Amino acid sequence: MSAVMAMDRLDAARVASVLARVAESRPRVQCLTNTVAQNITANMLLAFGAIPSMAIHVDEVAAMAEGAGAILINIGTINAESELAIPKLLEVARDRGKPLVFDPVFVELSPLRLHVAREVLRMPNLVVRGNATEMTALAFDLAAAEGVTRVTTGKVDRIESGAARFSVAHGHKLMTKVTGVGCAAGALIAACCAVEADPAVAAAAALTAYGIAGEIAAERARGPGSFAVELVDALAGIDEATLAQHLAG
């Protein structure tokens, strides 16, 4: 049996429980994210029942993060100001015990990105979401990180944290054809981490709901442009019955 096949999968009731807590508490996710993903990330969080905030100024990110339910750091379009803002967010996450999700976009392509990633990975109990190439580039650092939850996204998403192992085999190829869809996944994971104490369960719930929303959106869409709109609608309409139907397929 392969490692992927041996992994657990969440059932509809467990995913729906996490989503219901997001909708009830409406956590705010402070997103220091890349400029091309800001709009779609905000829309996906709103559809999910969470609240986005996109503060980037170095003099206010700490204050914005203080009252947030979770923090997302995405280095897709890192610049001089965001590089200075990241340590402030790390300090808040550490001192206030805020869930922190890190998306090391294209970390393998730039020494600056690798340096920043290594600084972020000093944080304990971090959730790292990346594709296989990004996660491979950080393999040594991830192995040394304390309490890290590794979320490797692809055709089959893999979530690994301590003894916990989950896989998510949902989604659609159109999700790779719209800018920012992958980056928005990190924000949804953060929203779930704000209400679910087990980060592996939170990540699996977020990616299951998001992947199924992608499948529904693809059935309705005419192409990448309409898919982006349909994905927001599909995510907003996810419920336990819909989850059960797709998880049984």
Side-chain angles (χ1 to χ4, degrees):
M1 181 178 292
S2 72
V4 170
M5 291 178 63
M7 289 181 166
D8 293 328
R9 296 185 182 183
L10 296 184
D11 61 22
R14 202 167 184 192
V15 175
S17 172
V18 176
L19 302 190
R21 280 177 273 151
V22 171
E24 180 179 1
S25 63
R26 300 192 70 228
R28 179 167 59 83
V29 180
Q30 167 53 37
C31 304
L32 185 69
T33 192
N34 74 72
T35 55
V36 297
Q38 286 176 333
N39 183 265
I40 195 167
T41 296
N43 285 337
M44 292 303 171
L45 282 170
L46 290 169
F48 210 50
I51 299 172
S53 59
M54 299 283 170
I56 60 173
H57 197 288
V58 66
D59 290 336
E60 75 162 355
V61 289
M64 293 293 287
E66 286 275 353
I71 299 168
L72 170 70
I73 296 174
N74 176 307
I75 59 171
T77 54
I78 191 167
N79 58 30
E81 184 166 50
S82 60
E83 185 183 3
L84 294 174
I86 287 172
K88 294 181 178 292
L89 292 174
L90 297 181
E91 182 177 0
V92 172
R94 181 180 58 250
D95 294 348
R96 302 297 186 185
K98 302 286 184 182
L100 176 62
V101 177
F102 177 54
D103 194 332
V105 179
F106 287 144
V107 68
E108 74 281 7
L109 298 182
S110 158
L112 172 62
R113 291 168 192 251
L114 183 58
H115 169 74
V116 170
R118 286 174 171 165
E119 292 300 310
V120 176
L121 286 171
R122 295 178 184 271
M123 280 287 298
N125 306 318
L126 178 70
V127 178
V128 181
R129 185 219 77 94
N131 61 34
T133 301
E134 292 158 352
M135 299 300 271
T136 298
L138 291 174
F140 178 81
D141 304 280
L142 288 167
E146 177 186 343
V148 67
T149 299
R150 300 177 300 281
V151 181
T152 307
T153 51
K155 187 173 182 180
V156 175
D157 303 326
R158 304 193 316 276
I159 300 104
E160 303 166 273
S161 178
R165 300 285 190 277
F166 294 102
S167 68
V168 177
H170 290 280
H172 192 275
K173 63 183 180 182
L174 280 173
M175 297 180 84
T176 67
K177 303 297 184 182
V178 179
T179 298
V181 166
C183 292
L188 300 184
I189 293 170
C192 289
C193 285
V195 302
E196 168 55 54
D198 187 331
V201 171
L207 293 177
T208 299
Y210 200 31
I212 289 173
E215 293 167 358
I216 295 168
E219 293 172 358
R220 301 171 178 170
R222 300 182 306 279
S226 56
F227 175 80
V229 175
E230 295 290 357
L231 183 57
V232 176
D233 288 346
L235 187 62
I238 287 285
D239 56 20
E240 186 172 346
T242 303
L243 290 166
Q245 178 184 358
H246 283 260
L247 287 168

